[in-house]
Amino acid sequence: MLDFTDEQKMARKMLRQWADKELAPHVAKMEKGEILPYDIMRKLISAFGMDEMVRAQFKKLEEAGDQGPEKSGGNKERAMADPGLMAVVSMELSRVCPGFCLAFGASLGLAGGAIMAKGTLAQKQKWALPILTMQKIGAWGMTEPGAGSDAFGSMRTTARRDGDSFVLNGQKTFITNAPYADTFVIYAKLEGNEDSRYRPFHAFIIDKATPGLSVSKPMDKMGMHSSPTGEIFLADVRVPADQLLGGRMEEHSREQARDVFHGERTGMATMCLGIIERCLEDSLAYAQQRETWGKKIAEYQLIQEKIAR
């Protein structure tokens, strides 16, 4: 059986204390849309020195020089992150506010993580560093209307080469942080003669102020309101070639996108665990408080069986 290390348990205790004190009092307002989650995220990374750790990591990258995404960082660098510590962060934030955790992970893990996984050193310095230190908010744009689980084959957003730039057209939907993001990682298929399902696609880093890029207001969802979700519209968005993620036309983005998907899916499991643990805590507390016919309901076998399950 796997268990957390002493270091991870200590981090979990500190995170729980922080979340109960600094995050919990603001959940109601975030869920009503009265405040955004991003300033609280900045407090989180500052409280635990995450921003300084990122800056220290970047100093090492700069010393190593621009050796390409594989040698200067890339997937190996992401793999070095402590998965147990990442699980602890996800569980403890989700225990208090799952939407907050989702928005936090989408910015740092999906957008920032994608640039760190495949970007050149220059791209990491210009776009990933501000995202990972929460100076800017990131959004990762893959999902499209009607695409669903067939994200690659059904992609309709296109990129046309035009001189030293690419021109993007299309639409993305259900994108976390889209309404308020500063930096977008957008996936688009190259225009060509072959069947659109099999065309190669690439990721592009796009700033919010780029002409032709627009976003929707936050969607009116059934839950997770602390995580703003919206659409991205691209109308003849001109993107310089140096904003092609990784900078290499011959390297398509399918495998890199799969890596991001894998990270997202495993992160969902720890989010759910945090939610379930909080449900159990609240259920136990209620069962030990509520009385019927002169007894705490925790004393009834039916309630005990429900809690045990």
Side-chain angles (χ1 to χ4, degrees):
M1 178 178 176
L2 294 176
D3 194 9
F4 291 118
T5 65
D6 290 341
E7 182 182 6
Q8 291 162 354
K9 289 176 182 177
M10 183 180 298
R12 185 177 188 182
K13 181 179 179 180
M14 294 171 64
L15 276 161
R16 178 164 297 196
Q17 291 173 345
W18 181 90
D20 287 339
K21 181 181 178 181
E22 303 292 341
L23 177 58
H26 305 288
V27 172
K29 287 187 175 181
M30 283 193 294
E31 287 297 305
K32 293 176 183 177
E34 295 176 4
I35 61 173
L36 295 174
Y38 307 115
D39 283 341
I40 304 174
M41 292 178 192
R42 295 182 180 102
K43 289 182 180 179
L44 170 61
I45 67 166
S46 177
F48 290 93
M50 297 179 191
D51 49 349
E52 293 305 318
M53 286 189 285
V54 168
R55 291 189 180 97
Q57 182 184 33
F58 267 79
K59 284 186 179 180
K60 293 181 181 179
L61 285 177
E62 290 165 0
E63 291 170 0
D66 192 355
Q67 306 172 52
E70 295 83 7
K71 294 182 179 179
S72 66
N75 292 325
K76 290 181 180 179
E77 184 177 85
R78 294 183 70 194
M80 291 173 63
D82 181 352
L85 191 57
M86 293 168 66
V88 162
V89 172
S90 178
M91 289 166 60
E92 290 305 315
L93 294 180
S94 297
R95 175 182 168 273
V96 174
C97 185
F100 179 90
C101 181
L102 192 62
F104 183 71
S107 183
L108 274 70
L110 298 187
I115 299 172
M116 289 300 293
K118 193 175 180 182
T120 64
L121 180 58
Q123 290 172 342
K124 293 174 185 179
Q125 290 170 323
K126 184 174 182 179
W127 287 288
L129 179 58
I131 292 175
L132 297 177
T133 55
M134 286 300 297
Q135 293 174 315
K136 293 188 176 181
I137 305 302
W140 191 75
M142 171 67 78
T143 305
E144 299 188 2
S149 58
D150 186 17
F152 299 160
S154 298
M155 188 183 298
R156 295 291 177 263
T157 299
T158 60
R160 172 174 55 84
R161 189 68 188 256
D162 185 20
D164 59 354
S165 300
F166 293 88
V167 178
L168 274 63
N169 284 279
Q171 179 182 352
K172 302 293 180 178
T173 193
F174 304 132
I175 307 302
T176 304
N177 295 327
Y180 304 105
D182 303 293
T183 304
F184 299 83
V185 177
I186 302 292
Y187 291 81
K189 281 187 177 177
L190 299 179
E191 289 191 346
N193 296 322
E194 65 269 35
D195 187 334
S196 64
R197 291 187 59 83
Y198 304 106
R199 290 178 196 160
F201 63 87
H202 287 279
F204 299 86
I205 308 169
I206 309 177
D207 291 316
K208 181 178 183 178
T210 305
L213 185 146
S214 60
V215 297
S216 71
K217 293 180 179 180
M219 292 177 169
D220 185 14
K221 303 183 295 183
M222 294 178 68
M224 294 278 194
H225 299 109
S226 298
S227 170
T229 305
E231 294 183 287
I232 304 170
F233 305 96
L234 305 124
D236 291 331
V237 176
R238 186 169 292 274
V239 182
D242 64 359
Q243 291 175 218
L244 170 69
L245 184 59
R248 300 179 182 181
M249 281 292 294
E250 64 274 16
E251 293 187 7
H252 304 155
S253 295
R254 186 177 295 266
E255 292 303 319
Q256 182 270 327
R258 282 201 181 109
D259 288 341
V260 177
F261 273 132
H262 292 329
E264 182 185 27
R265 298 300 181 260
T266 53
M268 285 293 152
T270 54
M271 282 186 64
C272 291
L273 185 54
I275 294 169
I276 290 169
E277 285 195 349
R278 179 60 181 271
C279 290
L280 178 59
E281 290 171 17
D282 288 351
S283 297
L284 282 169
Y286 183 74
Q288 292 165 351
Q289 172 189 344
R290 173 75 190 279
E291 292 186 8
T292 60
W293 292 289
K295 293 173 61 176
K296 305 286 187 183
I297 64 171
E299 296 179 34
Y300 293 108
Q301 289 186 351
L302 178 61
I303 300 300
Q304 294 171 4
E305 194 264 353
K306 288 179 182 291
I307 290 174
R309 285 188 181 277

